[in-house]
């Protein structure tokens, strides 16, 4: 499980890859959270907008979903930088409040079933709302939405 996660907007993959060593910092508009797996969150969000449902997907279905691509090759230091799929950025940018609330509820349910008492204490709806705002910036400027985690 990633300790620190930062979702951020960057102009392109090269700029996002440059964050690998130190994280996005103040140079990029971002949303932070802790103790989640960003790749599975990204896959779950993408799945939600492609196949909407208030129910958390079975683990087998989630594991079979296309996962986000790495912007930098993974090394043994635990740092990962992922690019969110463009279709997910567009979906998040245009998501209604009700869709974000339903997705947050589904995401929370899945994390509680997997992590129990070790689940993040972040407000997952607030995280999604923040990421949706970043997605709108990415879509409006033809930039990209990324996650950095350690």
């Amino acid at each position: 499980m990633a300790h620190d996660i930062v979702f951020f907007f960057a102009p392109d993959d090269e700029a996002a890859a440059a964050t690998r060593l130190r994280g996005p910092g103040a140079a990029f508009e971002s949303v932070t959270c802790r103790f989640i797996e960003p790749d599975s969150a990204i896959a779950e969000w993408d799945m939600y907008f492609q196949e909407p449902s208030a129910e958390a997907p079975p683990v087998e279905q989630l594991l079979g979903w296309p996962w986000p691509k790495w912007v930098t090759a993974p090394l043994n230091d635990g740092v990962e930088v992922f690019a969110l799929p463009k279709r997910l950025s567009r979906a998040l940018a245009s998501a209604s409040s009700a869709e974000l609330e339903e997705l947050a509820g589904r995401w929370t349910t899945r994390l509680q079933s997997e992590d129990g008492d070790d689940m993040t204490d972040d407000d997952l709806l607030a995280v999604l709302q923040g990421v949706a705002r970043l997605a709108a910036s990415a879509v409006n400027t033809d930039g990209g939405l990324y996650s950095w985690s350690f």
Side-chain angles (χ1 to χ4, degrees):
M1 179 174 303
H3 182 65
D4 293 311
I5 302 91
V6 182
F7 292 98
F8 65 102
F9 157 70
D12 54 39
D13 287 359
E14 185 178 329
T19 69
R20 190 193 177 298
L21 294 178
R22 292 187 204 100
F28 297 99
E29 188 179 351
S30 64
V31 172
T32 60
C33 58
R34 299 171 54 97
F35 306 118
I36 66 162
E37 290 294 343
D39 50 356
S40 64
I42 293 165
E44 182 170 358
W45 301 348
D46 189 42
M47 180 185 292
Y48 172 81
F49 287 108
Q50 296 304 308
E51 300 174 6
S53 169
E55 300 298 317
V59 173
E60 307 80 39
Q61 185 180 7
L62 181 61
L63 293 176
W65 197 259
W67 289 62
K69 70 175 180 101
W70 277 298
V71 176
T72 58
L75 301 174
N76 290 331
D77 62 2
V79 175
E80 296 178 317
V81 181
F82 292 108
L84 279 70
K86 293 284 187 188
R87 72 179 183 185
L88 176 57
S89 293
R90 289 189 300 272
L92 284 165
S94 62
S96 68
S97 294
E99 288 174 312
L100 292 176
E101 288 172 15
E102 184 174 80
L103 176 54
R106 162 182 154 151
W107 187 28
T108 299
T109 299
R110 184 181 64 78
L111 291 177
Q112 284 175 335
S113 71
E114 290 178 3
D115 300 338
D117 291 341
D118 292 332
M119 189 180 127
T120 182
D121 57 359
D122 285 310
D123 179 341
L124 298 181
L125 176 57
V127 169
L128 277 169
Q129 290 167 331
V131 173
R133 283 190 295 278
L134 295 175
S137 295
V139 168
N140 291 334
T141 63
D142 202 31
L145 192 54
Y146 302 89
S147 74
W148 177 94
S149 61
F150 176 72

